[in-house]
Every structure is written in structure tokens, then in C-alpha cells.
Amino acid sequence: MENTPLFWLGFNAFVIALLLLDLLVFNRRAHAVRMREALGWSAFWITLSLCFNALVYRTLGAEAGLQWLTGYLVEKALSVDNLFVFLLIFSYFKVPAEYQHRILFWGVLGALLLRAIFILVGAALLAKFHFLLYVLGAFLVYTGVKMALSAESTEIDPEANPVVRFLSRHLPITRQLDGGKFFTRKDGLRFATPLFVVLVMVETTDVVFAVDSIPAILAISRDTFIVYTSNVFALLGLRALYFALAGLMQAFHYLHYGLSLILVFIGGKLLIEDFYTFPMPVALGIVGLILLVSVVVSLVLPKAPKAEVLGEEGGREVKS
């Protein structure tokens, strides 16, 4: 395995082939993804990711392999927080279960493109300006503390989303769904459907999360190959993970604090890197332990259910 333009071309062609196989063969017809199917796909993506990790380990060495696994684990963990917001978006707009996979597919595809840009630009800046390492470390610590303090304030307000507001003012939007289509025609005019608005919210939400997750992985490794490929494999299993955990995400209420602690740890690790470097096995162990403890505590100390019910009878409307 060599970090060459030919390899990058082959890797991205492989990823696109997997996505097309998913969309055109296995999920050609819109359907509600059941738990058994979601668990099967989750197992497939995780196994594929670990096989690629083993290939990195064998060809690039133990240090690169551990960096890849740590980056993958951090991105996967941060994705759970992302998935909870997706669940709120789908609940707010009352998106039928059979169309959620389609939205997540295009959402993941857009996320892959945007994060590739973030990673390449971020790695180039860090390679050229050493002082940015301290800025990045301080940003991660700040983000972790802010995440912990705002753990209970997750809300969905489409009208507060600047991109959605822009669409509402400049694009005709119908209030009715037209199957799984993002656009439809009425009286010869082209309208965006509510599913397109949901897709825009998913994409813009992912950009916000990428601002946290990409710096976290760049703090683990500055090798664009390791950062990009671990990120891609974490994102490829995002849809299956959503459907597998959709009914359980509310139970992981302490995971949010665990993720914030991971960001603080990674940021602090980066700030002291010039004086002390954490061995990668130790860093991986700390990240894994924090995740394990936060999940176990969430299950042992369940959260009391709230009285209110998300959403209103009759669904939500998009102002146009």
C-alpha cells in the first residue's frame, strides 16, 4: 500500500462502487430499515473497516495502524451524537421511515466530499504553520467543555438555520411529499419537497459536526491518508448505525459527556505534544475506556422519561 495518486484514485473508486451498490442494488426500493437488517449492515461495515485497518497495520506499521484505529473510533463515537440530531430532524419533520435511508445516503455522500476538503486544507495548514497545533488543541478543549455544558440543550429549529431560511426565500417549496423525491412539478413549475429541506438540514448539521470531528482526528494524526480513510470508513457505516441505534440513542444520555471528555483529552494531548507525547496504545486505551464508562453509566443510571412528546399532530410545515 503506497500513498500515491493512483492509490487515492483506486480507493475513492472503491468507495463510490460500494455506495452505488448500496443505492442501486441492495436499497433500490424505498423501505423501512428493520433492526435485523441494520445490525447486519453495521456488522458488514465494521468488519470491512477492521480489515482495512489490518491492511494499514501490516503495510504501514503498528503506529500507523493504531492511529487509524483511534481516528476511526473517535469519528465513530462522535457520529453517535450526530445521529441523535438526525433523529430529532426526522422526528420534527415526521419523515416516513422508508425515506430516511435515501436522505442519509445523499447526506453521507455530501459529507464525504466536504470532509475531504476539510482534511486536505487542515493538514496542509498544520504542516505549514506549527503554531496552529496550539490553536487546534485549545479549540478542542473549548469545544469539549462547551459540549458538556450544553448536553441538555439540543433543539431543532429549521427557521434558525440560515441555509434553510435562504432556501425558503428563494426556492418554491411544497408542503406535500412526492414519494421519495427531493423535487416535484406542479402546474408546470418545479418545487422542492420537504425531503429536500430535511436533506439540507442533515448536510448543514454534518458541517457543524465536522468542525469538531476533523480537528479531533487531525490531532491524532497529520497523515492525510490515515485521517481521510478512517473518516471515510466511519461515515460509510453511519446509515446502518443510525437504524441500529435509533431506538437506543435516548438511552446513551451520558455518552455526550464522554465525547466531551474525549475532545478535552485529545486537545490537551495536542497542547503538550512538544513536551510529552502520549504513546498511541495509551491514547487509544483512554479513548476506549471513556466510551465504555459513559455507555455503561448510561445503562446503569437510566434517564427519567420526559412528559412532553416530540412533534405535533399533523407534522411540521415548511414556510415558503
Side-chain angles (χ1 to χ4, degrees):
M1 182 189 297
E2 296 182 358
N3 194 353
T4 63
L6 183 60
F7 170 79
W8 282 90
L9 182 63
F11 177 79
N12 284 293
F14 172 69
V15 170
I16 292 172
L18 287 176
L19 290 172
L20 290 176
L21 190 66
D22 185 340
L23 180 65
L24 302 178
V25 178
F26 295 107
N27 292 284
R28 183 167 55 89
R29 291 187 300 176
H31 67 287
V33 179
R34 303 301 180 189
M35 178 66 75
R36 183 175 179 180
E37 180 183 356
L39 290 175
W41 276 108
S42 291
F44 168 78
W45 290 117
I46 292 173
T47 301
L48 186 64
S49 301
L50 294 179
C51 288
F52 189 85
N53 183 212
L55 183 62
V56 172
Y57 189 93
R58 286 178 59 87
T59 57
L60 299 181
E63 182 71 11
L66 288 174
Q67 287 180 356
W68 196 98
L69 182 59
T70 305
Y72 173 79
L73 184 61
V74 168
E75 177 61 34
K76 205 74 171 174
L78 290 172
S79 294
V80 175
D81 208 37
N82 204 347
L83 294 178
F84 179 73
V85 177
F86 291 168
L87 177 64
L88 292 178
I89 293 173
F90 290 154
S91 298
Y92 185 97
F93 286 98
K94 297 193 177 297
V95 178
E98 60 267 28
Y99 302 138
Q100 292 178 9
H101 183 277
R102 175 177 170 82
I103 293 173
L104 289 177
F105 173 87
W106 291 108
V108 166
L109 187 60
L112 289 174
L113 297 174
L114 290 172
R115 292 185 185 215
I117 297 173
F118 282 10
I119 290 169
L120 293 175
V121 172
L125 289 174
L126 290 175
K128 189 171 183 179
F129 303 105
H130 182 74
F131 75 91
L132 289 178
L133 292 177
Y134 300 106
V135 176
L136 182 60
F139 172 75
L140 289 172
V141 172
Y142 167 77
T143 302
V145 173
K146 183 180 178 182
M147 179 184 290
L149 296 177
S150 62
E152 300 296 328
S153 61
T154 303
E155 295 180 358
I156 295 298
D157 184 6
E159 295 183 11
N161 187 306
V163 179
V164 173
R165 288 206 310 266
F166 177 84
L167 288 177
S168 298
R169 287 196 297 264
H170 298 87
L171 186 68
I173 301 174
T174 179
R175 292 184 173 88
Q176 289 79 37
L177 295 175
D178 185 7
K181 296 179 181 179
F182 294 124
F183 293 92
T184 187
R185 285 193 174 276
K186 284 187 174 183
D187 301 323
L189 298 177
R190 190 175 181 83
F191 288 80
T193 69
L195 289 188
F196 181 74
V197 178
V198 174
L199 176 62
V200 169
M201 286 204 65
V202 167
E203 292 285 11
T204 53
T205 298
D206 183 76
V207 170
V208 174
F209 277 94
V211 172
D212 298 337
S213 64
I214 296 302
I217 299 183
L218 285 171
I220 295 169
S221 174
R222 258 80 78 193
D223 187 323
T224 53
F225 165 78
I226 292 175
V227 175
Y228 177 70
T229 55
S230 62
N231 209 269
V232 166
F233 274 101
L235 286 175
L236 285 176
L238 191 63
R239 290 156 300 144
L241 185 65
Y242 169 81
F243 292 108
L245 297 181
L248 301 176
M249 278 187 263
Q250 297 277 4
F252 298 147
H253 53 283
Y254 283 113
L255 181 61
H256 205 97
Y257 297 101
L259 297 178
S260 66
L261 186 57
I262 288 174
L263 291 179
V264 171
F265 165 69
I266 294 175
K269 171 180 171 292
L270 196 59
L271 288 173
I272 65 172
E273 190 173 87
D274 287 341
F275 309 99
Y276 176 77
T277 301
F278 274 88
M280 191 50 60
V282 175
L284 177 60
I286 291 175
V287 170
L289 181 62
I290 292 173
L291 287 175
L292 179 61
V293 170
S294 60
V295 169
V296 171
V297 172
S298 296
L299 297 176
V300 172
L301 302 174
K303 189 177 182 180
K306 291 184 178 182
E308 71 259 23
V309 179
L310 181 66
E312 298 176 358
E313 191 68 28
R316 300 285 184 173
E317 291 185 350
V318 181
K319 293 183 179 180
S320 57

